[in-house]
């Protein structure tokens, strides 16, 4: 069983704060790292799929970086808004697999 | 496009009863997946399929069976439900497992086994 860890487990920030969280995954046999956003009572939706070491992806105020050699990815949210409140999941895909292994997520709550 | 749909949305079963959850996708995706989501456990893969007529076990397959008779449908069966199978079940699909292909998720089925 692959070990995909996310930290922190939960985070509570004020509107306007910038924040970041971490996903750690095995550094060997890397193929792809996915980030999903999961709002309460909805389904997970893909944010980014990252494949190259040093890759940086951006969507609006959300960005992510990838370090495959050391096995981690950071997700950043600039100027958090209440609508950013969700659980953020990362998922690791090794080269040999047809499936993803998900972390347990970071639950973000943004208050006014 | 409806994307990924799941039937039913909610179900309550008694221990020992059986049921089938249906997942359908209209995106012509090859790969389909069944996950369960439990508090503090994240998404855990039950079974998956890499194409019509093929299935494989995931991380937590015990107590479940699956079938993929048509490319667009992936069925998850519980032959004899147990309280430990109380969970929210998500189906997902992807075009491929190539580098840029994300998974698309259905709305989930909330199952309670009493």
């Amino acid at each position: 069983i692959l070990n995909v860890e996310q930290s922190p487990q939960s985070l509570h920030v004020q509107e306007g704060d910038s924040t970041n969280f971490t996903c750690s995954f095995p550094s060997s046999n890397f193929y792809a790292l996915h980030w999903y956003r999961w709002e309460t009572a909805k389904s997970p939706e893909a944010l980014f799929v990252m494949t190259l070491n040093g890759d940086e992806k951006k969507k609006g105020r959300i960005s992510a970086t990838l370090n495959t050699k050391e096995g981690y990815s950071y997700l950043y949210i600039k100027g958090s808004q209440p609508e950013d409140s969700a659980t953020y999941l990362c998922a690791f895909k090794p080269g040999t697999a047809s499936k993803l292994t998900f972390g347990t997520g970071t639950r973000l709550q943004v208050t006014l | 496009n409806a994307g990924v749909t799941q039937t039913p949305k909610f179900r309550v079963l008694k221990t020992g009863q059986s049921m089938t959850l249906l997942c359908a996708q209209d995106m012509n995706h090859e790969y389909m997946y069944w996950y369960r989501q439990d508090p503090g456990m994240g998404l855990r893969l039950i079974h998956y399929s890499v194409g019509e007529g093929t299935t494989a076990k995931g991380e937590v397959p015990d107590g479940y069976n699956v079938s993929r008779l048509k490319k667009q449908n992936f069925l998850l069966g519980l032959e004899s439900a147990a309280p430990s199978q109380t969970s929210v079940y998500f189906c997902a699909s992807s075009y491929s497992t190539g580098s840029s292909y994300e998974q698309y998720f259905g709305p989930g089925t909330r199952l309670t086994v009493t």
Side-chain angles (χ1 to χ4, degrees):
Chain A
I1 295 179
L2 298 171
N3 197 22
V4 180
E5 295 184 349
Q6 292 189 246
S7 62
Q9 226 172 3
S10 65
L11 200 51
H12 190 163
V13 302
Q14 303 280 344
E15 183 182 12
D17 288 348
S18 293
T19 187
N20 65 86
F21 10 100
T22 306
C23 173
S24 301
F25 51 86
S27 56
S28 61
N29 198 25
F30 177 87
Y31 192 87
L33 193 282
H34 294 216
W35 281 101
Y36 290 83
R37 171 192 161 91
W38 192 359
E39 292 181 70
T40 302
K42 295 189 177 180
S43 336
E45 289 186 350
L47 282 171
F48 307 114
V49 178
M50 308 178 80
T51 57
L52 299 174
N53 185 45
D55 210 2
E56 183 168 342
K57 300 245 181 181
K58 190 174 181 181
K59 186 180 287 189
R61 293 177 292 98
I62 304 177
S63 61
T65 60
L66 179 68
N67 183 323
T68 60
K69 295 188 187 311
E70 295 183 42
Y72 65 84
S73 176
Y74 294 137
L75 190 79
Y76 300 91
I77 303 179
K78 186 177 177 182
S80 302
Q81 299 296 310
E83 57 265 31
D84 295 328
S85 297
T87 296
Y88 292 84
L89 296 171
C90 70
F92 170 71
K93 181 188 177 315
T96 53
S98 302
K99 55 192 190 291
L100 298 175
T101 299
F102 282 83
T104 53
T106 293
R107 185 174 178 182
L108 174 67
Q109 191 172 356
V110 183
T111 53
L112 296 171
Chain B
N1 286 353
V4 181
T5 59
Q6 292 182 231
T7 309
K9 288 188 169 49
F10 304 93
R11 185 73 187 267
V12 179
L13 287 179
K14 291 188 185 331
T15 297
Q17 287 185 319
S18 63
M19 79 163 292
T20 301
L21 282 68
L22 170 64
C23 176
Q25 52 92 6
D26 61 1
M27 297 175 281
N28 200 34
H29 284 174
E30 286 293 333
Y31 294 77
M32 297 186 75
Y33 308 85
W34 275 108
Y35 295 93
R36 59 178 289 173
Q37 188 254 326
D38 302 292
M41 303 289 284
L43 287 169
R44 292 185 293 167
L45 184 65
I46 305 171
H47 286 280
Y48 64 103
S49 168
V50 301
E52 183 178 318
T54 71
T55 63
K57 292 181 180 179
E59 185 185 345
V60 288
D62 294 342
Y64 306 95
N65 56 75
V66 286
S67 65
R68 184 109 180 261
L69 298 178
K70 293 183 180 180
K71 186 177 183 178
Q72 63 267 34
N73 295 338
F74 194 28
L75 278 63
L76 178 72
L78 286 73
E79 289 186 347
S80 179
S84 60
Q85 294 177 304
T86 293
S87 189
V88 182
Y89 292 86
F90 286 94
C91 175
S93 71
S94 67
Y95 180 72
S96 169
T97 59
S99 59
S100 60
Y101 295 110
E102 68 264 40
Q103 292 187 7
Y104 293 81
F105 285 82
T109 295
R110 185 173 292 276
L111 174 66
T112 302
V113 183
T114 61

